[in-house]
Structure formats: structure tokens, C-alpha cells
Amino acid sequence: VNVSAVQLRKRDFVDTVAKAIDSGAVPPGIDLEITETLLMEDVEGNIRKLTEVRGLGIGIAIDDFGTGYSSLGYLAKLPVQTIKIDRSFIATMLNNPDSMTLVQTIISLAHSLNMQVVAEGVENQAQFDFLSAQGCHEFQGYLLARPMSTDAMSLLLRERNSPPA
């Protein structure tokens, strides 16, 4: 679930998340995605809020990682389990040595901090193969699936979770 700046800035942010859980949301299946830039706005306040959210069983991911100005010192303090590499790096990494170095560094950093790493915008097999070889944990992008309706996604999940006939 993407979190907006307006939502995170609200004093009752943690209470709002808790109410959503009380309304039927299941924490083990939920991650909140917050952009790197937004996290850095009020780092100490966000660490406090997100630590409380983690206590509710909700995962936290930094979205669009690499596009903001995060402090590595704060990155280690944030209650984050996942870093999502911004698609702009994925799109150029095979043709741009600087982008490739950044992708490799982000993956290594995530591993060092015991975080999951997700590559956004994976559109071809060569990107997937390179990222897999680097130890990227998860992938998003057109190579895997195009955007789809809720009904189409539900069908896809049912098919994948059905035992073979």
C-alpha cells in the first residue's frame, strides 16, 4: 500500500493503520511503501511512527530507492525490511556503467542490512538475469505481468495456488 505525504504527516497515522487492521486487513500480507524522499522529511518522527506500525505486524518498504537523499546512518535506524530500486536505474543499468554500479551497490547494501530488495520496472530477460545473479529477491515489471484488473489478478492467484490436476 502506497503511503502519501499527507497520510504520513498526520498525527493519527498509526491509529489509522490500526483501524484498517481492525476492519479486516491482514498484517502478514501488507507492506506500506513510502518514498525515500518522504522518509527523510521528518526522520526521527517517521522512525517513531513506523516502529509503531511494525509493532502491528505491518512491513515497511522504501519505494523509489536511489532517487532521494537518504542518509545511510538513518537507513540503518529505520524499521524497514525492503528496499525497492527505482525503475530508472533498472531501465539503464545494462547500457550505463554508472547505473549498473548503483544497482549492484543498492543490492549489496540491502543484503548487508538484512533487507529484502525489489527491482521495479523489469521489462526484459537480460535485466531479470542480471538482477537475479546479483541476488535481487523480488521483481516487478512488464516481463512478469502487465497491469491488470482485480478480477484478473484474483484469477491469476487462484490458478497459481491451485494444485496441479
Side-chain angles (χ1 to χ4, degrees), residues 1-153:
V1 176
N2 290 313
V3 175
S4 74
V6 171
Q7 291 168 317
L8 187 60
R9 287 182 191 130
K10 288 188 175 184
R11 289 187 186 144
D12 67 344
F13 174 73
V14 176
D15 291 334
T16 301
V17 173
K19 286 177 188 170
I21 292 170
D22 290 341
S23 299
V26 182
I30 299 174
D31 288 336
L32 298 183
E33 293 186 7
I34 302 168
T35 64
E36 178 183 10
T37 303
L38 177 57
L39 279 172
M40 293 299 112
E41 282 185 9
D42 175 16
V43 178
E44 294 299 332
N46 289 335
I47 288 172
R48 188 175 55 258
K49 287 178 185 177
L50 296 177
T51 299
E52 288 181 51
V53 168
R54 285 284 305 133
L56 299 172
I58 304 289
I60 308 293
I62 299 176
D63 198 15
D64 301 334
F65 189 81
T67 61
Y69 301 98
S70 64
S71 160
L72 294 180
Y74 280 122
L75 183 60
K77 293 179 184 178
L78 287 165
V80 171
Q81 298 74 49
T82 305
I83 293 176
K84 296 182 74 176
I85 304 172
D86 187 70
R87 65 178 299 123
S88 63
F89 298 117
I90 304 305
T92 60
M93 71 182 180
L94 297 178
N95 300 318
N96 181 326
D98 292 337
S99 291
M100 184 176 285
T101 298
L102 287 171
V103 168
Q104 290 171 314
T105 301
I106 292 168
I107 292 171
S108 178
L109 176 65
H111 289 171
S112 297
L113 294 172
N114 294 313
M115 295 179 180
Q116 293 289 101
V117 62
V118 178
E120 297 181 308
V122 178
E123 296 185 1
N124 61 59
Q125 192 65 45
Q127 292 169 334
F128 181 87
D129 292 343
F130 173 78
L131 292 161
S132 292
Q134 298 304 307
C136 188
H137 300 109
E138 297 178 24
F139 310 87
Q140 294 177 340
Y142 288 162
L143 177 66
L144 304 167
R146 296 281 178 173
M148 62 185 76
S149 69
T150 303
D151 291 339
M153 176 58 92

